[in-house]
Amino acid sequence: MDRKRPMVALTAFFSLLLLYLPAAAVAVFSVNSARIGFAWKGFTLKWYARLLHNEYIQEAAVNSLLVAAVSTAVATVLGTALALGLDRVPWPRKAHRVFDVVINLPVVVPDIIMAVSLTLAFTLLRQLSGVFALGMSTLIIGHITFQISFVTLVVRSRLASLNKETDEAARDLFASNFYLFRRVTLPLIMPGVLAGAMLAFTLSLDDFIISFFTHGPESVTLPIYIYSSLKRGLSPEIYALSTVMLLFTVLMVLIAERFTRRL
Amino acid sequence: MTESTGRKARKMISWRGDVRDARELRLAGLALAGPPLVWLATLLALPCAALALVALAARGPYGQIVWSFSAANFKRLLGYGLFGWSPDFLLILLRSLEVALVTTVVCVLLAYPLTFHIACRPRKARVWWLTLIIVPFWTNVVVRTYAWLLLLSPQLPPAKLAAWAGFVPPGGALYPSELAVYLGMVSTFLPFMALPLYASVERLDWDLLEAARDLYAGRWTVFRQAILPQTLPGLSVGLVMTFVPAMAMFVVSDILGGAKQMLVGNLIQLQFGQARDWPFGAMLSMALMIMTLASLALCRRRPKNL
């Protein structure tokens, strides 16, 4: 009905411009052969080739993927257990209210405060136990902490959509607790668990603030590498790296879309 | 087992097609939910609460926390320093509020036309538009901000245009500036506003809009009476998802704003980083937290008196 609304269409396209123009500029200059300055000196892929030879970038990429993989695995198990423990047990209403506050904390609390809290927790734990030096382990623990809630929220919404009758039917057929979980509940919530895991993985790869506060000198991730490279100014190598990361995001979104449409 | 039944009658309940001992069931639930709850409590809930205590402590000569309970940090936040009163920190808090508010308002102003435009596309085009909004939602904030830094640098058309119009000296960049911060903020948070809003706009009952127009409602009245109430659920989610992280933002203001555009996020980072004044950083975090919670409460109350 809004066919004759040029302003609406114009604003929509302006929004897209705002979202994509900077990224487009990065992509264009990532294939420009000029080292300094912005004059077009011809197409090249040498900056991409350099990425493959840059040890620091390789290490950061490995760190990013390792942290994302490990933290996602742990957070998916913990988050799913939390969702099951809360939803499949008749807790009193008051207990539910307390649980809800704790689960929603990472969603509501600004991430810089979460990062500061984690720093404080690690310092206190370090004084108590002697471990928890800032590094790979604190980075992974930090990521798990904000991932758990998101996994729980996704799995819970899946659990809420299942009906009681399936459980009752299984019980009528003398299903044991373990059999009920293994053969009925788990297959039914699996799409939710996978969606939660995917969300957690993307959040981890994407995170900067929590990582910035909890990483150690030898556990630099890609966003932290780019941030610290700013001190040396703009460089075509970083354009290439940014473009690769952007394309990776596009790929993840497309896969996620395929994935959710099939469910 | 007979002993326990003798001591206390077991309370059996019917639960999802089975008869279970209520206590046993709860123990099983605790075995599942316990570890993640303890994890979240020790690493998040308790340290968050502990920040309130640290805020009352003082900074030792080597940056350690000295447990002397006083309101010194609070006074410092209000501007009472060694050299009399100066409202520097209050101004930074106010500016964070202002930047977050302006960012949110601009995002709303862009998101309504954007989502209406998408909702009016044919089915296939809608999927493409949505994908185009979702991708920036997931791109890393450092990468996006870096891209703005490149786009606003002196040799590229935007800065040249601004120099020609006399806004910046010739050969100057468009950053660090307030404009650069807002461009970075709006492009970061627009998807956070547009996606939840779209969920509401998609389900809009267009007949109500036509009915309003048939009754000679002006444009503003149509929006106020027919569109706003219907899109309020999505809008309020979008407001929270934009405003809360915008208040705490420090990457965009750090990279595009420079020292003049410091926000409370940068100040907190500074206290926990270079300055090593954790107690004052904790006090600033508490201030940010209270402002965030207050705005959340305000947003929750709003629908009732609309």
Side-chain angles (χ1 to χ4, degrees):
Chain A
M1 79 181 276
D2 273 4
R3 238 168 276 126
K4 292 176 204 146
R5 299 251 168 170
M7 276 313 285
V8 171
L10 213 64
T11 317
F13 281 103
F14 174 73
S15 303
L16 276 196
L17 213 64
L18 213 55
L19 293 176
Y20 281 94
L21 201 59
V26 166
V28 166
F29 286 107
S30 75
V31 290
N32 181 9
S33 52
R35 165 100 228 171
I36 304 160
F38 295 98
W40 184 255
K41 294 265 171 67
F43 180 86
T44 178
L45 286 177
K46 69 176 168 191
W47 309 119
Y48 289 89
R50 281 228 188 143
L51 286 186
L52 295 175
H53 297 297
N54 186 327
E55 258 174 66
Y56 297 107
I57 290 179
Q58 271 174 26
E59 202 189 311
V62 169
N63 281 344
S64 281
L65 288 172
L66 191 68
V67 168
V70 175
S71 63
T72 302
V74 178
T76 306
V77 172
L78 286 176
T80 307
L82 183 55
L84 281 168
L86 295 192
D87 251 55
R88 287 297 182 260
V89 173
W91 294 108
R93 189 165 294 167
K94 262 188 195 161
H96 258 301
R97 225 172 277 158
V98 176
F99 296 151
D100 277 344
V101 170
V102 176
I103 293 173
N104 281 311
L105 217 51
V107 185
V108 183
V109 173
D111 35 13
I112 190 158
I113 293 188
M114 210 150 84
V116 165
S117 304
L118 278 166
T119 316
L120 191 65
F122 288 143
T123 310
L124 293 177
L125 287 171
R126 196 158 51 229
Q127 281 169 1
L128 288 176
S129 67
V131 282
F132 291 104
L134 289 185
M136 214 55 181
S137 56
T138 52
L139 197 56
I140 290 172
I141 292 171
H143 280 219
I144 293 170
T145 309
F146 71 79
Q147 285 171 320
I148 289 178
S149 298
F150 288 95
V151 175
T152 304
L153 289 174
V154 175
V155 175
R156 262 186 122 182
S157 69
R158 180 80 194 173
L159 273 171
S161 72
L162 303 181
N163 55 7
K164 250 201 301 205
E165 284 74 18
T166 331
D167 277 24
E168 286 169 359
R171 289 296 193 190
D172 285 348
L173 297 165
F174 301 104
S176 66
N177 288 340
F178 180 73
Y179 193 90
L180 177 72
F181 173 72
R182 180 72 192 80
R183 290 300 170 97
V184 181
T185 315
L186 194 60
L188 282 173
I189 62 168
M190 213 49 198
V193 174
L194 288 179
M198 196 133 177
L199 179 65
F201 188 78
T202 330
L203 282 172
S204 168
L205 273 189
D206 211 35
D207 174 74
F208 170 71
I209 296 180
I210 307 283
S211 311
F212 185 68
F213 276 81
T214 54
H215 81 281
E218 91 296 358
S219 55
V220 170
T221 61
L222 282 176
I224 296 174
Y225 178 82
I226 295 180
Y227 182 80
S228 49
S229 81
L230 278 170
K231 283 183 208 120
R232 299 187 293 273
L234 301 166
S235 92
E237 235 168 70
I238 303 290
Y239 306 157
L241 178 60
S242 298
T243 312
V244 171
M245 285 170 76
L246 285 169
L247 290 177
F248 190 74
T249 313
V250 174
L251 195 72
M252 291 283 283
V253 169
L254 289 180
I255 290 174
E257 207 146 285
R258 262 296 146 74
F259 183 71
T260 43
R261 218 181 294 160
R262 234 190 316 151
L263 296 181
Chain B
M1 269 300 143
T2 42
E3 298 156 350
S4 68
T5 41
R7 190 152 36 86
K8 193 178 164 192
R10 302 173 82 192
K11 194 182 158 210
M12 306 300 278
I13 54 164
S14 155
W15 179 250
R16 301 184 85 90
D18 195 18
V19 178
R20 303 283 300 267
D21 178 355
R23 239 185 60 191
E24 221 171 71
L25 196 59
R26 264 181 213 170
L27 275 178
L30 213 57
L32 280 172
L37 280 177
V38 169
W39 182 297
L40 287 176
T42 45
L43 287 167
L44 198 60
L46 290 178
C48 244
L51 275 180
L53 283 181
V54 177
L56 299 176
R59 177 190 188 275
Y62 306 106
Q64 76 274 39
I65 301 169
V66 178
W67 296 102
S68 62
F69 292 93
S70 74
N73 283 317
F74 186 61
K75 280 188 186 149
R76 196 170 149 208
L77 180 70
L78 292 181
Y80 296 99
L82 285 173
F83 312 106
W85 188 72
S86 78
D88 292 347
F89 298 125
L90 286 180
L91 283 179
I92 288 177
L93 280 179
L94 271 181
R95 192 167 48 236
S96 308
L97 204 63
E98 183 200 330
V99 169
L101 270 177
V102 173
T103 302
T104 310
V105 169
V106 174
C107 282
V108 172
L109 291 180
L110 289 175
Y112 263 106
L114 177 63
T115 48
F116 268 74
H117 183 76
I118 298 175
C120 295
R121 293 306 95 194
R123 228 189 91 80
K124 259 213 164 144
R126 253 183 319 197
V127 174
W128 277 109
W129 272 91
L130 276 181
T131 310
L132 283 175
I133 310 289
I134 292 172
V135 166
F137 184 88
W138 288 117
T139 31
N140 187 277
V141 65
V142 179
V143 172
R144 299 163 56 71
T145 315
Y146 192 96
W148 275 111
L149 209 58
L150 167 66
L151 190 67
L152 299 178
S153 49
Q155 294 93 331
L156 291 188
K160 278 190 174 161
L161 198 70
W164 176 80
F167 290 119
V168 292
L174 275 170
Y175 62 86
S177 70
E178 214 172 353
L179 175 77
V181 171
Y182 278 122
L183 282 172
M185 293 287 266
V186 169
S187 63
T188 301
F189 291 117
L190 184 57
F192 287 75
M193 179 62 81
L195 288 173
L197 187 62
Y198 179 76
S200 283
V201 171
E202 194 189 23
R203 270 177 274 148
L204 200 72
D205 183 358
W206 291 88
D207 294 343
L208 278 178
L209 272 68
E210 290 214 25
R213 261 182 223 142
D214 287 346
L215 295 167
Y216 301 104
R219 280 180 180 187
W220 170 244
T221 318
V222 170
F223 178 75
R224 177 86 174 67
Q225 303 287 350
I227 299 178
L228 188 58
Q230 289 196 72
T231 51
L232 205 56
L235 179 66
S236 54
V237 173
L239 286 177
V240 172
M241 282 181 72
T242 309
F243 187 79
V244 171
M247 273 283 289
M249 174 53 89
F250 92 94
V251 181
V252 171
S253 46
D254 186 59
I255 298 177
L256 292 170
K260 267 193 181 172
Q261 304 288 331
M262 206 182 226
L263 300 180
V264 63
N266 306 77
L267 203 55
I268 292 174
Q269 194 259 318
L270 194 69
Q271 301 306 321
F272 278 86
Q274 290 153 355
R276 279 199 72 78
D277 190 346
W278 289 27
F280 190 54
M283 181 54 83
L284 289 165
S285 306
M286 293 315 291
L288 173 61
M289 196 68 200
I290 286 165
M291 281 158 83
T292 306
L293 289 178
S295 50
L296 277 178
L298 212 68
C299 198
R300 237 175 239 162
R301 240 192 37 192
R302 191 90 186 97
K304 276 182 210 155
N305 49 29
L306 240 172

